[in-house]
Amino acid sequence: MTDDANELKGPDLAKGIALSDLAENMPLLGHAGGEQVVLVRQGAECFAIAHQCTHYHGPLAEGLAADGHLRCPWHHACFDLRTGEASRAPAIDPLDTWEVTERGGKVFVGAKRAPRPAKAPRKTIPGRIAILGGGAAGFAAAEQLRRDGYQGDLTMLSGEAAPPIDRPNLSKDYLAGSAPEEWMPLRPDDFYAANGIDLRLNTSVAAIDRDARKLQLADGGTVPYDRLLLATGAEPVRLPVPGADQPHIHTLRTLADCRAILAGAKDAKRVAVIGASFIGLEVAASLRTRGIETHVIAPETIPMEKILGAEMGGFVRALHEEHGVIFHLGEGVIGFEGKQVMLKSGASLEADLVVTGVGVRPRIALAEKAGLTIDRGVAVNACLETSDPMILAAGDIARWPDPHTGQNIRVEHWVLAERHGQAAAHILMGEREPFEGVPFFWSQHYDVPINYVGHAETWDAIDIEGDIAARDCILRYRKNGRVLAAASIYRDIASLQAEMALESSRV
Ligand SMILES: Cc1cc2nc3c(=O)[nH]c(=O)nc-3n(C[C@H](O)[C@H](O)[C@H](O)COP(=O)(O)OP(=O)(O)OC[C@H]3O[C@@H](n4cnc5c(N)ncnc54)[C@H](O)[C@@H]3O)c2cc1C
Ligand code: FES
């Protein structure tokens, strides 16, 4: 055994394990050939698969196995046990898989399988796909199209200077200084050319010409398409108060925004975060981690009460206070005079850095101008098609008929946007499967992750299981007796089970 092998956990699966020791759908962490492997039995079949999620290395032995898949406990990526393929975001890369044989009542893990060959090229209809947006949905659609063997022209247009990045990290580890910038791109720069994706950065689309099926660029150029995916995301709301256009006052959406905040944070003594939203509070946590005095100013009295309820909101507030955040709740900002933040109550606060997180607006102007149906977002059907079937919409802008709530919903979550993008890719390839995903998001505050599955705009009861203050809980949001959503802290299996239950629940 090598030194590394001494650290391997669980049984040596190459030597075999009794089939009777493998409980159905209970992932077992072991090792084979010097590598950690997770073994899963489903019925008469056993599967051996890599132990770490390809998203952020979540421990898959602690995930949920069912129906030929293994779900990651951290952010609910889903892997095909047979092939290792990442069948659902946020993981994109596949997992390694191993040969498994059964002899004399024992299961043996053999050699690692060769990576699966790329899918065969598929008939190229449509010939030209344009993706408007280089964020979560746009990236996931482009990647999935090529993964599925799409061979036609593929153009992706983005107003950003950076290739698609891990946007959620902008307010978390990257801002806190624990994730280097090399971790931010979703793919290396050469991925796009290598996969025939014509990625055009710093490119602003000015109009959609539906009759001529082309995009009009702000620089005068045009991009023709046969099918178009709109994934223009959302933009931060700017505070409509005097003095808000000063250079030390920032919003956060892009890598460039974050770099500007980091530059301001270098010498900042005190930061004012306006808004106690997820983004605002994640920014507060990250800047506290950097040791900067941090004030949060927001009109609500309990942060996140509208989304998570008073109990969880109270916990989030206490958690931030434990880390030294100073809240000014029930308070508003009426303007900025130099470095002074002028408050509604008449008080003021000096801050050399200000980050506003007061919500976002879906970027629907182009769709609206093109005459597509708008319904507090871009209205799409279950196949993510807009009122022009040549144009699909995905991500933060799309309002789709959600079979689980029976409502048309629009959601601003990373994983959902990626899953929309993946579903749009399948639909563009001719598989007209309706989108039936259940929304999921996570938020990170210091060492406390909050996971949320489902969609509850309102509820009439919250069932609390466990202990919120002890960071070991799951809250279920019910309306008319039905569970609409669940929020959890360190109850990953329960959160995955809630997701599965929501997937099979229909109105
Ligand atoms: C700091 C931060 C932290 C977040 N953290 C989380 C989290 O922890 N969990 C979670 O679930 N969600 C999180 N989110 C939300 C998540 O990032 C979004 O829901 C997701 O990015 C939406 O994806 P999208 O593809 O719809 O839009 P985006 O990712 O915003 O991409 C939109 C793209 O469209 C481009 N575009 C728009 N208009 C034009 C135009 N006219 N011409 C050319 N290009 C254009 C933009 O340049 C951009 O590239 C966070 C967001 C931010 C900003
Ligand atoms: S670590 Fe697995 S989904 Fe994020």
Side-chain angles (χ1 to χ4, degrees), residues 5 14 18 22 29 37 49 102 105 162 215 230 243 286 315 396 424 429 455 469 482:
L22 269 181
L29 181 66
V37 170
I49 199 160
E102 203 194 315
L215 298 172
L230 279 181
S286 297
F315 163 76
D396 282 5
M429 294 290 283
H455 184 76
R482 285 185 71 229

PDB file of all heavy atoms in Angstrom, residues 5 14 18 22 29 37 49 102 105 162 215 230 243 286 315 396 424 429 455 469 482:
ATOM      1  N   ALA A   5      -2.720   5.320  -0.098  1.00  0.00           N
ATOM      2  CA  ALA A   5      -3.687   4.236   0.099  1.00  0.00           C
ATOM      3  C   ALA A   5      -4.018   4.079   1.572  1.00  0.00           C
ATOM      4  O   ALA A   5      -5.130   3.690   1.926  1.00  0.00           O
ATOM      5  CB  ALA A   5      -3.142   2.937  -0.462  1.00  0.00           C
ATOM      6  N   ALA A  14     -12.091  -3.901  -4.396  1.00  0.00           N
ATOM      7  CA  ALA A  14     -11.486  -4.813  -5.376  1.00  0.00           C
ATOM      8  C   ALA A  14     -11.439  -6.228  -4.795  1.00  0.00           C
ATOM      9  O   ALA A  14     -11.471  -7.220  -5.525  1.00  0.00           O
ATOM     10  CB  ALA A  14     -10.095  -4.334  -5.727  1.00  0.00           C
ATOM     11  N   ALA A  18     -19.659  -8.632   0.445  1.00  0.00           N
ATOM     12  CA  ALA A  18     -20.849  -9.492   0.348  1.00  0.00           C
ATOM     13  C   ALA A  18     -22.031  -8.679  -0.152  1.00  0.00           C
ATOM     14  O   ALA A  18     -22.275  -7.563   0.346  1.00  0.00           O
ATOM     15  CB  ALA A  18     -21.169 -10.095   1.707  1.00  0.00           C
ATOM     16  N   LEU A  22     -24.700  -4.903   1.148  1.00  0.00           N
ATOM     17  CA  LEU A  22     -25.012  -3.684   0.377  1.00  0.00           C
ATOM     18  C   LEU A  22     -26.509  -3.437   0.414  1.00  0.00           C
ATOM     19  O   LEU A  22     -27.277  -4.109  -0.271  1.00  0.00           O
ATOM     20  CB  LEU A  22     -24.607  -3.877  -1.084  1.00  0.00           C
ATOM     21  CG  LEU A  22     -23.207  -3.477  -1.517  1.00  0.00           C
ATOM     22  CD1 LEU A  22     -23.049  -3.730  -3.014  1.00  0.00           C
ATOM     23  CD2 LEU A  22     -22.925  -2.018  -1.201  1.00  0.00           C
ATOM     24  N   LEU A  29     -19.094   3.981   0.713  1.00  0.00           N
ATOM     25  CA  LEU A  29     -17.772   4.512   0.354  1.00  0.00           C
ATOM     26  C   LEU A  29     -16.725   3.437   0.574  1.00  0.00           C
ATOM     27  O   LEU A  29     -16.613   2.880   1.674  1.00  0.00           O
ATOM     28  CB  LEU A  29     -17.444   5.743   1.205  1.00  0.00           C
ATOM     29  CG  LEU A  29     -16.099   6.405   0.902  1.00  0.00           C
ATOM     30  CD1 LEU A  29     -16.093   7.010  -0.501  1.00  0.00           C
ATOM     31  CD2 LEU A  29     -15.778   7.479   1.934  1.00  0.00           C
ATOM     32  N   VAL A  37     -14.101   5.051  -4.159  1.00  0.00           N
ATOM     33  CA  VAL A  37     -15.193   4.701  -5.062  1.00  0.00           C
ATOM     34  C   VAL A  37     -16.472   4.616  -4.225  1.00  0.00           C
ATOM     35  O   VAL A  37     -16.428   4.239  -3.049  1.00  0.00           O
ATOM     36  CB  VAL A  37     -14.908   3.316  -5.712  1.00  0.00           C
ATOM     37  CG1 VAL A  37     -16.117   2.794  -6.469  1.00  0.00           C
ATOM     38  CG2 VAL A  37     -13.713   3.396  -6.653  1.00  0.00           C
ATOM     39  N   ILE A  49     -18.856   4.250  -8.814  1.00  0.00           N
ATOM     40  CA  ILE A  49     -18.772   5.607  -9.381  1.00  0.00           C
ATOM     41  C   ILE A  49     -17.841   6.448  -8.498  1.00  0.00           C
ATOM     42  O   ILE A  49     -17.650   6.123  -7.314  1.00  0.00           O
ATOM     43  CB  ILE A  49     -20.222   6.179  -9.462  1.00  0.00           C
ATOM     44  CG1 ILE A  49     -20.339   7.342 -10.416  1.00  0.00           C
ATOM     45  CG2 ILE A  49     -20.794   6.524  -8.104  1.00  0.00           C
ATOM     46  CD1 ILE A  49     -21.769   7.602 -10.891  1.00  0.00           C
ATOM     47  N   GLU A 102     -20.137  -9.752 -10.119  1.00  0.00           N
ATOM     48  CA  GLU A 102     -20.675 -10.470  -8.961  1.00  0.00           C
ATOM     49  C   GLU A 102     -20.321 -11.938  -9.086  1.00  0.00           C
ATOM     50  O   GLU A 102     -20.541 -12.552 -10.142  1.00  0.00           O
ATOM     51  CB  GLU A 102     -22.196 -10.290  -8.967  1.00  0.00           C
ATOM     52  CG  GLU A 102     -22.810 -10.467  -7.614  1.00  0.00           C
ATOM     53  CD  GLU A 102     -24.319 -10.633  -7.721  1.00  0.00           C
ATOM     54  OE1 GLU A 102     -24.961  -9.882  -8.461  1.00  0.00           O
ATOM     55  OE2 GLU A 102     -24.822 -11.570  -7.065  1.00  0.00           O
ATOM     56  N   GLY A 105     -21.953 -14.572  -4.500  1.00  0.00           N
ATOM     57  CA  GLY A 105     -22.584 -13.734  -3.473  1.00  0.00           C
ATOM     58  C   GLY A 105     -21.753 -12.521  -3.086  1.00  0.00           C
ATOM     59  O   GLY A 105     -22.084 -11.812  -2.138  1.00  0.00           O
ATOM     60  N   ALA A 162     -16.086  38.811 -19.444  1.00  0.00           N
ATOM     61  CA  ALA A 162     -15.532  37.500 -19.068  1.00  0.00           C
ATOM     62  C   ALA A 162     -16.375  36.382 -19.665  1.00  0.00           C
ATOM     63  O   ALA A 162     -17.597  36.501 -19.765  1.00  0.00           O
ATOM     64  CB  ALA A 162     -15.528  37.380 -17.548  1.00  0.00           C
ATOM     65  N   LEU A 215     -30.192  38.765 -35.209  1.00  0.00           N
ATOM     66  CA  LEU A 215     -29.978  39.670 -34.081  1.00  0.00           C
ATOM     67  C   LEU A 215     -29.228  40.880 -34.596  1.00  0.00           C
ATOM     68  O   LEU A 215     -28.278  40.749 -35.373  1.00  0.00           O
ATOM     69  CB  LEU A 215     -29.139  38.982 -32.998  1.00  0.00           C
ATOM     70  CG  LEU A 215     -29.769  37.740 -32.360  1.00  0.00           C
ATOM     71  CD1 LEU A 215     -28.767  37.034 -31.457  1.00  0.00           C
ATOM     72  CD2 LEU A 215     -31.013  38.135 -31.564  1.00  0.00           C
ATOM     73  N   LEU A 230     -33.133  32.902 -25.716  1.00  0.00           N
ATOM     74  CA  LEU A 230     -32.952  34.152 -24.968  1.00  0.00           C
ATOM     75  C   LEU A 230     -32.617  33.811 -23.521  1.00  0.00           C
ATOM     76  O   LEU A 230     -33.408  33.141 -22.846  1.00  0.00           O
ATOM     77  CB  LEU A 230     -34.260  34.942 -24.954  1.00  0.00           C
ATOM     78  CG  LEU A 230     -34.632  35.780 -26.155  1.00  0.00           C
ATOM     79  CD1 LEU A 230     -35.966  36.471 -25.880  1.00  0.00           C
ATOM     80  CD2 LEU A 230     -33.557  36.811 -26.431  1.00  0.00           C
ATOM     81  N   GLY A 243     -26.942  60.903  -5.261  1.00  0.00           N
ATOM     82  CA  GLY A 243     -25.574  60.541  -4.874  1.00  0.00           C
ATOM     83  C   GLY A 243     -25.230  59.083  -5.099  1.00  0.00           C
ATOM     84  O   GLY A 243     -24.104  58.650  -4.819  1.00  0.00           O
ATOM     85  N   SER A 286     -18.886  37.838   3.467  1.00  0.00           N
ATOM     86  CA  SER A 286     -17.564  37.770   2.829  1.00  0.00           C
ATOM     87  C   SER A 286     -16.683  38.942   3.268  1.00  0.00           C
ATOM     88  O   SER A 286     -15.486  38.779   3.494  1.00  0.00           O
ATOM     89  CB  SER A 286     -17.703  37.756   1.307  1.00  0.00           C
ATOM     90  OG  SER A 286     -18.390  36.589   0.928  1.00  0.00           O
ATOM     91  N   PHE A 315     -32.685  33.554  12.757  1.00  0.00           N
ATOM     92  CA  PHE A 315     -31.418  32.826  12.905  1.00  0.00           C
ATOM     93  C   PHE A 315     -30.321  33.478  12.047  1.00  0.00           C
ATOM     94  O   PHE A 315     -29.190  33.669  12.494  1.00  0.00           O
ATOM     95  CB  PHE A 315     -31.605  31.352  12.496  1.00  0.00           C
ATOM     96  CG  PHE A 315     -30.312  30.641  12.234  1.00  0.00           C
ATOM     97  CD1 PHE A 315     -29.513  30.233  13.299  1.00  0.00           C
ATOM     98  CD2 PHE A 315     -29.860  30.411  10.935  1.00  0.00           C
ATOM     99  CE1 PHE A 315     -28.293  29.599  13.068  1.00  0.00           C
ATOM    100  CE2 PHE A 315     -28.650  29.789  10.700  1.00  0.00           C
ATOM    101  CZ  PHE A 315     -27.869  29.381  11.767  1.00  0.00           C
ATOM    102  N   ASP A 396     -33.370  33.438 -15.546  1.00  0.00           N
ATOM    103  CA  ASP A 396     -34.026  34.479 -14.743  1.00  0.00           C
ATOM    104  C   ASP A 396     -35.177  35.185 -15.458  1.00  0.00           C
ATOM    105  O   ASP A 396     -36.057  35.742 -14.806  1.00  0.00           O
ATOM    106  CB  ASP A 396     -33.009  35.554 -14.332  1.00  0.00           C
ATOM    107  CG  ASP A 396     -32.114  35.116 -13.180  1.00  0.00           C
ATOM    108  OD1 ASP A 396     -32.214  33.950 -12.754  1.00  0.00           O
ATOM    109  OD2 ASP A 396     -31.300  35.951 -12.722  1.00  0.00           O
ATOM    110  N   ALA A 424     -33.596  23.400 -22.572  1.00  0.00           N
ATOM    111  CA  ALA A 424     -33.760  24.104 -23.856  1.00  0.00           C
ATOM    112  C   ALA A 424     -32.917  23.429 -24.933  1.00  0.00           C
ATOM    113  O   ALA A 424     -33.350  23.290 -26.078  1.00  0.00           O
ATOM    114  CB  ALA A 424     -33.366  25.571 -23.699  1.00  0.00           C
ATOM    115  N   MET A 429     -32.949  20.280 -29.873  1.00  0.00           N
ATOM    116  CA  MET A 429     -32.524  19.085 -30.620  1.00  0.00           C
ATOM    117  C   MET A 429     -33.719  18.216 -31.017  1.00  0.00           C
ATOM    118  O   MET A 429     -33.553  17.110 -31.516  1.00  0.00           O
ATOM    119  CB  MET A 429     -31.568  18.252 -29.763  1.00  0.00           C
ATOM    120  CG  MET A 429     -30.250  18.927 -29.473  1.00  0.00           C
ATOM    121  SD  MET A 429     -29.199  19.054 -30.918  1.00  0.00           S
ATOM    122  CE  MET A 429     -28.560  17.404 -31.057  1.00  0.00           C
ATOM    123  N   HIS A 455     -40.850  25.951  -4.286  1.00  0.00           N
ATOM    124  CA  HIS A 455     -41.198  27.340  -4.571  1.00  0.00           C
ATOM    125  C   HIS A 455     -42.428  27.699  -3.749  1.00  0.00           C
ATOM    126  O   HIS A 455     -43.516  27.192  -4.012  1.00  0.00           O
ATOM    127  CB  HIS A 455     -41.491  27.486  -6.074  1.00  0.00           C
ATOM    128  CG  HIS A 455     -41.759  28.887  -6.487  1.00  0.00           C
ATOM    129  ND1 HIS A 455     -40.750  29.820  -6.633  1.00  0.00           N
ATOM    130  CD2 HIS A 455     -42.909  29.526  -6.790  1.00  0.00           C
ATOM    131  CE1 HIS A 455     -41.267  30.967  -7.006  1.00  0.00           C
ATOM    132  NE2 HIS A 455     -42.586  30.821  -7.108  1.00  0.00           N
ATOM    133  N   ALA A 469     -31.236  26.898  15.660  1.00  0.00           N
ATOM    134  CA  ALA A 469     -30.059  27.502  16.292  1.00  0.00           C
ATOM    135  C   ALA A 469     -28.884  26.534  16.327  1.00  0.00           C
ATOM    136  O   ALA A 469     -27.722  26.947  16.254  1.00  0.00           O
ATOM    137  CB  ALA A 469     -30.415  27.951  17.709  1.00  0.00           C
ATOM    138  N   ARG A 482     -50.426  21.171   1.610  1.00  0.00           N
ATOM    139  CA  ARG A 482     -49.374  20.647   0.721  1.00  0.00           C
ATOM    140  C   ARG A 482     -48.029  21.285   1.049  1.00  0.00           C
ATOM    141  O   ARG A 482     -47.952  22.494   1.295  1.00  0.00           O
ATOM    142  CB  ARG A 482     -49.682  20.979  -0.742  1.00  0.00           C
ATOM    143  CG  ARG A 482     -50.761  20.154  -1.378  1.00  0.00           C
ATOM    144  CD  ARG A 482     -50.877  20.502  -2.858  1.00  0.00           C
ATOM    145  NE  ARG A 482     -49.749  20.016  -3.629  1.00  0.00           N
ATOM    146  CZ  ARG A 482     -49.047  20.741  -4.499  1.00  0.00           C
ATOM    147  NH1 ARG A 482     -49.321  22.007  -4.678  1.00  0.00           N
ATOM    148  NH2 ARG A 482     -48.065  20.203  -5.180  1.00  0.00           N
TER     149      ARG A 482
END
